């Protein structure tokens, strides 16, 4: 199964047949760590357990050092989770913090990781700027739970945020080559290519379906807009932009139709939501464009259902 997943990123059109995994795959190793801003408060734990007449092992009190949720820290935590999910979609998990990816995708994978590191550092810098105010707020929110010095100096906190990566060859003695080595018989090669073609087609059909769903959702927002608060929000458009970005990354064979439809939808959602809210003609012409696009994608029946 691992071999089949790796093959999704290799060109079947060029008749590439995998003979050794070590010849076509690199290993991505990465570390992304985020400060949890929590610790066990032994004193408070003891007080609670004693007041409840409970055994010392019955529980413990975990203190939030920052006194509650902090938006800047939450943003970093969400980003780290998102990165792990995205890299999982782009590669094949090998072990914790380690993934396989095809050599031909090296530039794409490395570019994504480098950009992610820059975004991660920007979020950490935002937390640094807000940190003095966060400490003061923690004192107010924690009240008697707050202990002087419970929030470490920024220099110590900064070292708890780490994002590094390394790309290296897959060792020849990796175990995959012997386990998944392919016979060089023409019949097996043809059978392999046929199976790979089926996997590609299934994957591209899934990507097309995701584009259709986003196009339908965008059309619905534009067609049914009635000036109500929350309709045609910037957040909805940003969500579509993120989905389009992911679809492009997963379009391993660079399918021209998928790229074309993704570009058309991207142009539509790049228009500020406020412009659509203020301009009825713009909404109408965009709905027409989406109808045409959906018909091109073979979604006529769905379009008719929406119009009804």
């Amino acid at each position: 199964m691992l071999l089949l997943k790796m093959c999704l990123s290799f060109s079947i059109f060029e008749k590439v047949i995998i003979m050794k995994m070590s010849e076509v795959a690199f290993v991505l190793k990465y570390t992304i760590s985020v400060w949890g801003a929590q610790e066990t408060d032994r004193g408070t734990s003891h007080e609670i357990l004693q007041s409840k007449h409970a055994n010392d092992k019955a529980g413990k009190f975990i203190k939030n050092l920052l006194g509650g949720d902090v938006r800047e820290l939450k943003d970093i935590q969400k980003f780290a989770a998102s990165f792990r999910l995205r890299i999982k979609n782009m590669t094949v998990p090998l072990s914790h913090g380690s993934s396989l990816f095809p050599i031909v995708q090296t530039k794409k994978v490395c570019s994504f990781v480098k950009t992610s590191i820059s975004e991660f550092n920007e979020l950490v810098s935002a937390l640094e700027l807000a940190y003095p105010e966060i400490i003061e707020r923690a004192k107010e929110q924690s009240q008697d739970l707050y202990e002087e010095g419970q929030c470490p100096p920024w220099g110590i906190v900064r070292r708890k945020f780490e994002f590094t990566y390394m790309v290296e060859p897959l060792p020849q003695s990796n175990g995959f080559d012997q386990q998944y080595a392919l016979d060089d018989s023409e019949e097996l090669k043809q059978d392999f290519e046929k199976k790979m073609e089926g996997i590609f087609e299934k994957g591209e059909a899934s990507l097309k379906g995701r584009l259709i769903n986003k196009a339908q959702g965008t059309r619905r927002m534009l067609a049914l807009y009635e000036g109500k608060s929350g309709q045609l929000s910037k957040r909805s458009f940003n969500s579509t932009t993120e989905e389009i970005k992911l679809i492009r990354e997963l379009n391993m064979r660079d399918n021209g139709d998928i790229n074309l439809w993704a570009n058309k939808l991207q142009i539509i959602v790049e228009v500020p939501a406020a412009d659509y809210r203020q301009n009825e003609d713009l909404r109408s012409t965009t709905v027409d464009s989406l109808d045409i696009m959906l018909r091109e994608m073979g979604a006529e029946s769905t379009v008719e259902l929406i119009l009804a």
Side-chain angles (χ1 to χ4, degrees), residues 12 94 158 194 219:
I12 298 301
L94 184 60
R158 182 61 183 89
K194 183 178 180 181
R219 186 203 183 284

Side-chain angles (χ1 to χ4, degrees), residues 220-251:
R220 189 179 298 110
M221 284 194 301
L222 293 168
L224 302 180
Y225 179 69
E226 298 176 343
K228 295 181 180 178
S229 176
Q231 289 182 317
L232 282 177
S233 66
K234 180 180 179 182
R235 179 181 298 179
S236 297
F237 281 15
N238 288 344
S239 172
T240 299
T241 297
E242 286 299 311
E243 179 75 359
I244 291 172
K245 184 177 180 181
L246 180 59
I247 287 171
R248 284 173 172 158
E249 290 173 355
L250 296 177
N251 185 20

